[in-house]
Amino acid sequence: MSAIPLVVCDDSGMARKQLIRALPPEWPVSITQAANGREGLKAIMDGLGQVVLLDLTMPEMDGYQVLQMLKAQAISAKVIVVSGDVQEEAVRRVKELGALAFLQKPASPELVRATLEDLGLLASVPPQASEQAPPVPEIERPDFKVGFRDAFREINNVAMGQAAALLAKALGVFVQLPIPNVNIFEVGELSMALADVDQGQRLSAVCQGYIGDGIAGEALLIFHDSEINDIAGLLGIEKLNSELQEQELLMDLGSILIGACLSGIAKQLDVRFSQGHPQMLGQHCAISDLMHVNKQRWKKTLGVEISYGLEGMRVHFDLLLLFTEDSVKRLTDKITHLMD
């Protein structure tokens, strides 16, 4: 039985590894891996992608652009989108662009098998003619090492998508997702990272602490003051009449985004977080003022930067998940267990 050319296109090595592991072991495929949409499109055009497992949020060229190019050039490829962006609008758009199915990350082996069978893509193994007939060999799957930063970024990518789906429903808009940025920050470096968010504007910020299973940290959600009225308008509030009303609005949004992200991370790592109540970290101030008040709480930290944008609007939220230095070893152990 000849192998089916399959492209697995995702910028995360961890996501590719998880997906390849989830493939039916008897499915005769020849696997080509692509780390971004441009590589994936080239592989498909080179005849290596009769079937394609495609992520959406990627550098160079995202999954939407790949689907648009395939459709525009009438390239025949059977595409299944596998993404952490689970917004209803995301699913609708990829189906409109020609994707045959949409799977939520991380896709289980059972769901992958069922989807391939439903689409008629899982080539059946021919029955053995006799007891003496040789068994059909399993196709060899590539294996590779995945670093901590890549793996943790993918875990946050999945959690970020779940939070975006809740935010999209609350605001009635399509949320544009970034590629999460994961770094170990010193205090000064964190100050510079937050300064990039500032751009000379006045800011308001909500913070929420969390702890559980040897992992602890603080989430920081930053809003540009110039955008708060637009956000209120999406929620049907014509005018914010007081700072207290504004605080309640920001803390409600903080609960949605921060809570959903932490829940997504906890579920993947099999931990349980206890979360503090959201609090205003600062209101109508410069980023330097936020840092001056809080820098003693952040020494060396593992930071995840996520910037949500609202399509068609100049509105975005900057979310920082800050894990204590002592949490890194526990996170590493959890991710190693997950990958094994």
Side-chain angles (χ1 to χ4, degrees), residues 43-96:
I44 296 167
M45 296 179 72
D46 287 345
L48 301 175
Q50 179 180 330
V51 179
V52 182
L53 302 178
L54 180 68
D55 186 27
L56 291 180
T57 307
M58 295 182 290
E60 300 284 338
M61 178 183 286
D62 64 27
Y64 295 105
Q65 293 170 312
V66 172
L67 286 167
Q68 288 167 353
M69 290 293 291
L70 294 176
K71 187 174 183 178
Q73 299 186 31
I75 298 172
S76 177
K78 298 177 176 66
V79 180
I80 298 171
V81 169
V82 186
S83 175
D85 184 355
V86 292
Q87 296 176 78
E88 292 179 1
E89 178 63 10
V91 178
R92 188 197 68 78
R93 290 184 183 187
V94 299
K95 294 286 187 66
E96 189 176 74

Side-chain angles (χ1 to χ4, degrees), residues 178-234:
I179 298 170
N181 186 22
V182 177
N183 283 296
I184 299 289
F185 289 109
E186 299 285 351
V187 175
E189 294 172 329
L190 178 57
S191 300
M192 288 187 289
L194 293 175
D196 289 340
V197 173
D198 185 6
Q199 299 175 345
Q201 297 187 37
R202 309 300 285 180
L203 305 169
S204 296
V206 174
C207 68
Q208 187 171 10
Y210 51 89
I211 187 169
D213 290 330
I215 301 168
E218 189 169 39
L220 178 64
L221 185 60
I222 302 171
F223 302 88
H224 291 256
D225 284 357
S226 60
E227 301 169 351
I228 291 176
N229 285 330
D230 292 331
I231 298 167
L234 291 172

Side-chain angles (χ1 to χ4, degrees), residues 92-129:
R92 188 197 68 78
R93 290 184 183 187
V94 299
K95 294 286 187 66
E96 189 176 74
L97 288 169
L100 299 179
F102 183 103
L103 302 182
Q104 178 179 346
K105 286 183 173 181
S108 68
E110 295 77 17
L111 180 58
V112 172
R113 176 182 289 275
T115 302
L116 293 171
E117 288 177 342
D118 289 345
L119 296 174
L121 298 177
L122 184 56
S124 60
V125 177
Q128 297 180 11

Side-chain angles (χ1 to χ4, degrees), residues 152-275:
F152 195 50
R153 185 185 64 173
E154 177 61 15
I155 287 168
N156 280 274
N157 176 57
V158 171
M160 171 187 76
Q162 295 170 5
L166 291 177
L167 183 64
K169 284 187 176 181
L171 299 181
V173 295
F174 183 68
V175 180
Q176 297 170 319
L177 299 182
I179 298 170
N181 186 22
V182 177
N183 283 296
I184 299 289
F185 289 109
E186 299 285 351
V187 175
E189 294 172 329
L190 178 57
S191 300
M192 288 187 289
L194 293 175
D196 289 340
V197 173
D198 185 6
Q199 299 175 345
Q201 297 187 37
R202 309 300 285 180
L203 305 169
S204 296
V206 174
C207 68
Q208 187 171 10
Y210 51 89
I211 187 169
D213 290 330
I215 301 168
E218 189 169 39
L220 178 64
L221 185 60
I222 302 171
F223 302 88
H224 291 256
D225 284 357
S226 60
E227 301 169 351
I228 291 176
N229 285 330
D230 292 331
I231 298 167
L234 291 172
L235 292 170
I237 302 171
E238 292 185 6
K239 184 179 180 181
L240 292 168
N241 297 314
S242 67
E243 283 201 353
L244 179 60
Q245 186 183 18
E246 182 180 303
Q247 288 179 11
E248 290 175 348
L249 168 68
L250 298 184
M251 286 193 287
D252 285 346
L253 288 173
S255 292
I256 293 172
L257 278 171
I258 295 170
C261 274
L262 291 176
S263 176
I265 293 170
K267 183 177 180 181
Q268 293 175 84
L269 294 180
D270 191 25
V271 301
R272 180 174 295 179
F273 288 130
S274 175
Q275 297 172 220

